[in-house]
Amino acid sequence: MRSILLLFFVLFSTSYYASAQSRIVTGKVTDSKGETLPGVSIKLKGTSAGVSSGTDGRFSINVPDNNSTLVVTYIGFVTQEVAVNNQTSVDITLVSDQQALDEVVVVGFGTQKKVNLTGSVASVSAEQLEKRAATKSSLVLQGQMSGIQVRQGGGNPANNGAALVVRGQGTFSGAGNSPLVLVDGIEGSLDLVDPNDIQSVSVLKDAASAAIFGSKAANGVILVETKRGVVGKPVFTYNTYVGKSEATMVPEMINSWEYAEVINQVFVDAGAAKRYSDADIAKFRSGEDPVNFPNFDHIGNLFNSGNGISNRHDIGVRGGSEQTQYMFSLGYYNENGIITKNNANRYNIRTNLDTRLNDKLRFSLKLAGNLNKNGQPSGIGGGGLGNIVGGAMRNANTIPGRTPDGFYGRNETLHPEADLESASFRNNRSTNFITNGSVIWDVFKDLKVTGQLGYTYGNFQTKAYTAKYAITPTYGNALNSLREDWSESTALTLQTLVEYNKKVKDHTFYVLGGVSGQTFDGRGLGAFRDAFPNNSIYEINAGSTARGTQTGSASRNTLQSYFGRFNYNFREKYLFEANARYDGSSRFPKDSRWGLFPSFSAAWRVSQEGFFKDAISFLSDLKLRASWGQLGNQSIGNYPYQDLLSLAPVYPFGSTLSAGAAVTTIANKDITWETTTINNVGVDLGMFNNKLSLSADYFVKTTEDILYSVSVSSTLGATPSLANAGSVENRGWDFNLNYRNNIGDFSYGVSAILSLVDNKVTKLTNINQDIARGLFVGYPIGSTYGFKSDGLFGSNADVAGYPTQPFADQAQGGGIKYLDISGPNGVPDGVVNAAYDRTIIGQPLPTSTYALTLNGGYKNFDFNFMLQGEGGRNDQVTLGQFFFPLENNSNVQRDAYENRWTAANPNPNAAYPKLRNIASGFFNTNRVDFWYRDATFLRLKNAQIGYTLPKGLLGRVGVSSLRLYVSGENLFTLSDFYKGWDPEMVTGGADWYYPLTRMYVAGLSLKF
């Protein structure tokens, strides 16, 4: 009996002790600002047991005893270990650390820990992207990472996205330099994704990281991951802002009376009588007769005719159970341009769903759609803003705008105010639908199979209407017309992935294999009609069929791929990765249809070595990387190797013209891939417990077999096809430096990036230069060939003692002094001519891009400032007949007026030559370095200050977070470029000039 009682006592004590120790611990996870963090991993140390925080940051976990420790991890934050002790409630505050060693980044077909990367991958998180109030997702990447140039070409809301170039221009062919963009694994467009929906963006810069995408990865790869659902009750978010835009820079033109004086002097210099009398000039100056003697600022009127107001609204919800998580968002964006009738609207919707069907099967579905509409006024021809902007740039202030009688002033065929106020327009509308479904089968612990289907649909419509309207009593557009174009594109992607991940003691192996098939289809229709009954009816059926035309087209291309990856990891110390992709494209002939694109990379985490930890205490991480790989570019025309028949020719049969067909392009049956080889070495440093981190890479990127149309004699009677006949090399450095720290309630961070790229053409079939295309062996793509100069002639007498000039009418006081640099015998011969005295005078690609970002917070306040710019060698001129003073009867900029050579100020070093009438296109045809200026710049790209209301003020109304902020974009610029011309957008002619905009924004972010 005593034994039984003793046994009962022991069992009761053990049970009581166990029940006293095992208990439920609850808590909440927030960041340093008090914001709740959903999806945080909370695990029991030493076990695989764990939970995730819900959308409200709360969690509940069963702990076995008082000695338990919770390990709390979250991407972008320092991992914490929290001892439970006797607590039943634990609130955890995570400290942000963007350089945390456990950070996971998205790579091709998966994710990897950042410390285990062997290739060159840059990434940016949603938290960083939220600091920008940019209009397009492509713009938010500016200044965020090295190795990628982000340049905005203009401020037109209809087309104000950025061009992206990764590590320099690799080709000059029609294949282009745009990187491959994958959204949730499916090929797409970055600007079709709402910035608020983005969770992270990764840029794969070297071949080691990008080779698994093979023939589409030569220009780099951008991987966009959208936000997903999390475990917990629904959390709603609402983001909105209102903004006001204005032009960053606009060239100022001279007043009408100043223009009249300039024209008089030009006429006198040419031996002609003055155009304007002194009385005329006095009337211009007094403003007494604004109709006949106006001072009308055409540029100011144009670029201030729109209100520049923009607004944005995004609402989203995230939540779910352990079995199913969801995310849903709706967005609307509207932007009015700084020109009237110029606007853009975007509507977008996205749903992401992840669910576990059973212990082995998971299902993921992503659906997204958007509608984009934009409009702009148009001139004669329906081309949009081009002629209107060009007219405003060219027309002098002596030409009136709208006159009291309802008519308008004009300069030849340029009449911007009449066009602006007419019923003419150009409207674009695009609809896009993207679906992406995946089934994931966890066969067993180490083996996973994924099947994925992606389908995208795009529809684009353009409607360009030219109205019938009077411009003067005797001149106008008497025939209205309409051009409509419609195009549709679809893409189907099917791929299967098999992943095997195995750890054997200190050795970790990962193998991925996959097969993919893609089909791209396109079709289009177009129609034109004119003679509509009035300006209120502009549908194709209402127009006359007499001169009507119709067009139609269709195309298809396919890509079949096999790919794989192998990773080896020994104690997270020695790392190796190999990738390969075997692509077959319908764009190439049968014998060269398939291409193999391999890569190899390795890394050594020196900081994991025992000798290192004891030797260098301030270095918390050191990794050395090296990689080699090859990539392809198959983004050429669909049928370059086939003999295509053109149906455009017509032939006379007797007195009748009949349709015909002819081969107008000679096919190249041997065409093959453009191949890019990238060598990369890099180092990653973490210092002072990873508060300070540095990443540096040196790369050599060589593109060979560039598709190039070799020039031939016109007697051939046909256009030559593309041939693999060119090579380009890019050498450079990427640097990323980050520092983060806290001093009490004040947290701050500094981020600096620098990219250096030296671009040059290394081969052009059997020639050394193609002047018309800006291609010269040994020089960057797009280099300019022309004359060199030595200032200006101080007087007419200076001309006599100087080499014979190429343009006799310029050889006078105030004319450009052209240099004699060579002759038939290779030395100066006393005669300046195009055959021997031209050389490279302009190199348009910047050799460096850089940015400095400062951010921080104090209690409920936060701030973010970004300086961004381009440096090095970047010589540019804004081309176009409206830039050069008086070219083709153009206007005169104040900068040229005030800094020109004159007889009263015969300065041979004046910034502008003597003003004189110049033929249309003269300086574009006969280029000279006198006009080229340094287009490097430093810009305050973004500044944002925010305030998050204390939670005590919000809890009563059910709001968990409310942040108010003000922000500015493109606030000021430092540059030695031409006054009034933005150096970032010197990519086209002035007739298509639309200045970048400075935007001021006030907004709020609400969570409830």
Side-chain angles (χ1 to χ4, degrees):
M1 183 66 178
R2 185 176 299 174
S3 300
I4 294 174
L5 290 174
L6 180 62
L7 178 60
F8 178 82
F9 177 79
V10 171
L11 291 174
F12 176 81
S13 300
T14 303
S15 176
Y16 176 83
Y17 180 79
S19 64
Q21 297 299 306
S22 177
R23 64 188 185 280
I24 299 296
V25 173
T26 61
K28 184 178 182 180
V29 187
T30 60
D31 62 12
S32 57
K33 300 175 185 176
E35 296 285 337
T36 57
L37 296 177
V40 178
S41 172
I42 302 102
K43 289 187 176 181
L44 288 172
K45 188 174 181 178
T47 74
S48 60
V51 296
S52 297
S53 64
T55 53
D56 56 359
R58 298 191 179 278
F59 67 91
S60 176
I61 187 169
N62 187 10
V63 298
D65 55 55
N66 289 339
N67 296 323
S68 298
T69 298
L70 303 180
V71 180
V72 186
T73 58
Y74 193 56
I75 295 175
F77 290 82
V78 176
T79 297
Q80 285 193 28
E81 294 189 3
V82 180
V84 174
N85 299 323
N86 295 318
Q87 302 175 89
T88 58
S89 178
V90 179
D91 287 338
I92 302 167
T93 300
L94 293 183
V95 178
S96 177
D97 182 6
Q98 293 177 358
Q99 289 75 45
L101 295 180
D102 288 333
E103 180 181 350
V104 175
V105 297
V106 177
V107 296
F109 301 106
T111 60
Q112 288 186 18
K113 289 176 65 175
K114 190 172 183 178
V115 293
N116 292 340
L117 289 174
T118 55
S120 183
V121 180
S123 62
V124 59
S125 66
E127 182 183 16
Q128 294 166 281
L129 299 178
E130 288 169 359
K131 303 302 181 184
R132 298 287 302 278
T135 57
K136 297 286 198 309
S137 290
S138 58
L139 296 174
V140 300
L141 297 184
Q142 202 160 35
Q144 299 287 0
M145 59 190 77
S146 66
I148 179 170
Q149 183 191 67
V150 183
R151 170 173 275 198
Q152 187 177 5
N156 187 341
N159 185 28
N160 60 358
L164 309 178
V165 177
V166 177
R167 286 186 167 179
Q169 294 189 17
T171 183
F172 47 79
S173 74
N177 290 280
S178 299
L180 171 67
V181 177
L182 297 170
V183 181
D184 293 325
I186 299 298
E187 193 169 336
S189 168
L190 184 58
D191 282 336
L192 292 182
V193 183
D194 189 306
N196 276 308
D197 288 344
I198 296 177
Q199 180 63 39
S200 69
V201 178
S202 294
V203 178
L204 313 183
K205 299 188 289 186
D206 69 341
S209 57
I212 200 160
F213 296 108
S215 64
K216 292 194 171 186
N219 297 319
V221 180
I222 298 177
L223 303 178
V224 180
E225 291 290 306
T226 58
K227 294 175 180 176
R228 306 172 74 171
V230 293
V231 177
K233 66 180 183 180
V235 171
F236 293 86
T237 57
Y238 173 64
N239 298 286
T240 185
Y241 73 64
V242 60
K244 176 70 169 69
S245 297
E246 61 185 26
T248 54
M249 301 179 189
V250 175
E252 180 185 357
M253 301 300 176
I254 60 177
N255 292 312
S256 57
W257 57 90
E258 295 167 317
Y259 183 83
E261 291 171 344
V262 166
I263 292 299
N264 279 349
Q265 187 61 54
V266 169
F267 275 44
V268 170
D269 291 341
K274 293 182 179 181
R275 177 189 290 183
Y276 300 101
S277 67
D278 292 343
D280 292 337
I281 294 174
K283 289 179 181 179
F284 279 124
R285 190 185 300 272
S286 69
E288 62 190 75
D289 185 357
V291 175
N292 297 303
F293 298 93
N295 182 33
F296 188 82
D297 181 6
H298 298 272
I299 293 179
N301 176 75
L302 179 66
F303 291 128
N304 288 288
S305 60
N307 61 32
I309 299 295
S310 60
N311 61 86
R312 182 172 170 176
H313 304 272
D314 289 279
I315 187 168
V317 59
R318 300 172 74 188
S321 63
E322 291 287 350
Q323 181 175 351
T324 301
Q325 301 87 46
Y326 57 86
M327 172 268 190
F328 176 77
S329 70
L330 283 171
Y332 168 74
Y333 176 74
N334 168 260
E335 180 181 5
N336 293 314
I338 57 176
I339 297 177
T340 187
K341 303 179 186 178
N342 178 212
N343 56 73
N345 293 275
R346 182 178 69 234
Y347 307 83
N348 53 271
I349 184 171
R350 181 175 297 275
T351 297
N352 289 348
L353 178 69
D354 296 279
T355 186
R356 180 171 288 280
L357 304 176
N358 55 44
D359 291 341
K360 295 291 186 179
L361 285 178
R362 289 174 285 146
F363 175 70
S364 176
L365 177 65
K366 298 178 174 64
L367 300 172
N370 58 63
L371 170 64
N372 294 273
K373 298 188 293 183
N374 60 71
Q376 51 188 304
S378 183
I380 297 174
L385 276 167
N387 288 338
I388 297 177
V389 173
M393 300 291 285
R394 179 175 165 185
N395 286 6
N397 288 24
T398 55
I399 299 172
R402 182 185 176 97
T403 55
D405 58 5
F407 294 105
Y408 304 85
R410 71 183 180 100
N411 179 0
E412 297 175 344
T413 59
L414 298 175
H415 26 74
E417 291 75 38
D419 297 336
L420 195 64
E421 297 182 13
S422 75
S424 302
F425 63 84
R426 182 181 180 89
N427 292 337
N428 298 321
R429 177 189 177 103
S430 65
T431 305
N432 298 275
F433 175 74
I434 305 99
T435 181
N436 176 3
S438 300
V439 176
I440 304 96
W441 177 24
D442 297 309
V443 183
F444 49 82
K445 178 182 177 182
D446 301 319
L447 182 65
K448 180 173 70 176
V449 178
T450 302
Q452 186 178 35
L453 181 150
Y455 179 79
T456 62
Y457 171 85
N459 180 284
F460 185 81
Q461 301 171 57
T462 295
K463 193 168 189 175
Y465 177 70
T466 300
K468 177 170 29 175
Y469 56 104
I471 298 167
T472 72
T474 58
Y475 173 81
N477 186 49
L479 186 65
N480 51 11
S481 62
L482 175 67
R483 173 76 196 184
E484 285 199 69
D485 290 287
W486 172 93
S487 63
E488 179 185 79
S489 62
T490 60
L492 176 65
T493 301
L494 295 170
Q495 55 191 22
T496 302
L497 308 176
V498 179
E499 299 172 79
Y500 182 73
N501 198 342
K502 183 68 175 178
K503 186 171 184 178
V504 182
K505 295 184 178 180
D506 294 330
H507 306 273
T508 302
F509 303 90
Y510 173 81
V511 179
L512 177 144
V515 58
S516 173
Q518 292 178 288
T519 301
F520 301 88
D521 288 283
R523 58 194 61 84
L525 292 172
F528 170 85
R529 287 190 184 179
D530 57 17
F532 287 80
N534 55 56
N535 286 334
S536 299
I537 301 176
Y538 32 78
E539 298 298 335
I540 282 292
N541 277 353
S544 169
T545 60
R547 289 172 294 274
T549 59
Q550 299 81 40
T551 59
S553 64
S555 63
R556 165 177 282 202
N557 70 83
T558 59
L559 184 70
Q560 181 71 38
S561 308
Y562 304 92
F563 50 90
R565 172 187 294 140
F566 171 76
N567 289 86
Y568 171 71
N569 175 337
F570 178 72
R571 294 183 178 176
E572 293 195 340
K573 183 189 302 184
Y574 309 118
L575 311 167
F576 174 78
E577 180 175 309
N579 291 274
R581 185 164 178 130
Y582 190 52
D583 279 339
S585 172
S586 65
R587 290 172 164 171
F588 296 99
K590 183 178 180 180
D591 294 339
S592 56
R593 180 159 293 167
W594 290 89
L596 177 65
F597 306 99
S599 76
F600 303 93
S601 58
W604 176 27
R605 290 191 64 199
V606 185
S607 54
Q608 296 299 100
E609 300 286 0
F611 69 83
F612 181 88
K613 296 178 180 179
D614 298 330
I616 309 175
S617 59
F618 71 90
L619 277 178
S620 45
D621 188 55
L622 171 61
K623 180 172 66 175
L624 305 178
R625 297 178 280 105
S627 68
W628 172 93
Q630 291 186 327
L631 308 166
N633 194 340
Q634 60 100 50
S635 299
I636 60 173
N638 288 327
Y639 316 106
Y641 67 94
Q642 297 177 337
D643 293 314
L644 302 180
L645 293 174
S646 171
L647 301 179
V650 292
Y651 298 91
F653 287 90
S655 58
T656 304
L657 290 177
S658 301
V663 175
T664 58
T665 300
I666 301 175
N668 180 359
K669 306 295 184 181
D670 298 319
I671 195 170
T672 188
W673 306 88
E674 291 187 3
T675 302
T676 296
T677 303
I678 303 179
N679 295 280
N680 191 99
V681 292
V683 59
D684 298 322
L685 284 172
M687 291 164 275
F688 311 113
N689 198 28
N690 290 312
K691 290 181 180 178
L692 176 65
S693 66
L694 170 67
S695 177
D697 287 81
Y698 174 75
F699 64 90
V700 179
K701 173 182 171 182
T702 304
T703 304
E704 299 176 304
D705 293 328
I706 292 177
L707 297 165
Y708 178 58
S709 183
V710 182
S711 299
V712 297
S713 170
S714 59
T715 59
L716 179 65
T719 302
S721 183
L722 298 172
N724 299 101
S727 300
V728 168
E729 179 186 86
N730 288 276
R731 290 176 178 263
W733 291 85
D734 293 341
F735 297 96
N736 293 269
L737 180 68
N738 292 278
Y739 181 76
R740 296 183 69 84
N741 198 10
N742 292 75
I743 303 175
D745 291 330
F746 178 65
S747 62
Y748 64 95
V750 180
S751 174
I753 65 168
L754 172 64
S755 301
L756 304 171
V757 180
D758 183 21
N759 171 277
K760 66 179 179 180
V761 177
T762 56
K763 179 184 176 183
L764 284 174
T765 185
N766 57 353
I767 59 176
N768 289 321
Q769 63 185 32
D770 188 332
I771 297 174
R773 301 183 187 184
L775 301 174
F776 306 87
V777 173
Y779 293 91
I781 295 172
S783 294
T784 304
Y785 193 70
F787 295 98
K788 294 187 72 68
S789 63
D790 184 24
L792 306 172
F793 287 111
S795 65
N796 291 342
D798 290 345
V799 180
Y802 208 74
T804 303
Q805 296 292 286
F807 311 107
D809 59 337
Q810 291 190 40
Q812 56 180 284
I816 298 174
K817 189 188 296 182
Y818 292 83
L819 278 175
D820 178 18
I821 62 175
S822 188
N825 298 320
V827 296
D829 60 350
V831 176
V832 182
N833 59 34
Y836 301 107
D837 297 298
R838 292 187 298 168
T839 186
I840 303 297
I841 61 171
Q843 301 182 22
L845 306 181
T847 55
S848 67
T849 56
Y850 56 88
L852 175 68
T853 302
L854 307 174
N855 58 71
Y858 177 73
K859 294 186 177 179
N860 288 24
F861 289 93
D862 62 87
F863 67 87
N864 187 84
F865 300 95
M866 179 194 292
L867 292 166
Q868 175 265 336
E870 296 178 352
R873 183 188 64 241
N874 186 13
D875 305 315
Q876 283 276 14
V877 62
T878 299
L879 301 177
Q881 62 174 318
F882 312 120
F883 166 74
F884 301 105
L886 294 182
E887 179 177 0
N888 194 25
N889 197 27
S890 186
N891 209 342
V892 178
Q893 302 163 59
R894 178 159 299 281
D895 189 42
Y897 176 76
E898 295 179 348
N899 297 286
R900 73 194 193 279
W901 184 99
T902 64
N905 180 32
N907 180 6
N909 296 312
Y912 290 83
K914 175 183 178 181
L915 297 185
R916 48 186 291 276
N917 283 324
I918 307 168
S920 176
F922 175 82
F923 282 118
N924 281 333
T925 304
N926 305 287
R927 299 185 178 182
V928 57
D929 68 348
F930 181 89
W931 293 107
Y932 282 69
R933 297 288 191 273
D934 180 4
T936 59
F937 64 90
L938 172 65
R939 167 169 281 155
L940 179 56
K941 192 68 182 181
N942 168 260
Q944 186 177 112
I945 299 175
Y947 178 75
T948 301
L949 272 65
K951 290 187 176 296
L953 299 177
L954 303 174
R956 297 178 182 178
V957 294
V959 176
S960 60
S961 175
L962 175 59
R963 178 177 178 266
L964 307 173
Y965 66 91
V966 291
S967 181
E969 296 281 326
N970 297 326
L971 293 176
F972 74 80
T973 305
L974 300 177
S975 177
D976 290 329
F977 198 58
Y978 284 102
K979 187 176 181 180
W981 298 84
D982 197 308
E984 185 175 344
M985 53 171 294
V986 288
T987 55
D991 49 340
W992 292 100
Y993 175 84
Y994 196 121
L996 297 185
T997 57
R998 180 184 300 110
M999 184 166 68
Y1000 304 97
V1001 164
L1004 66 84
S1005 297
L1006 180 67
K1007 186 182 293 184
F1008 54 94

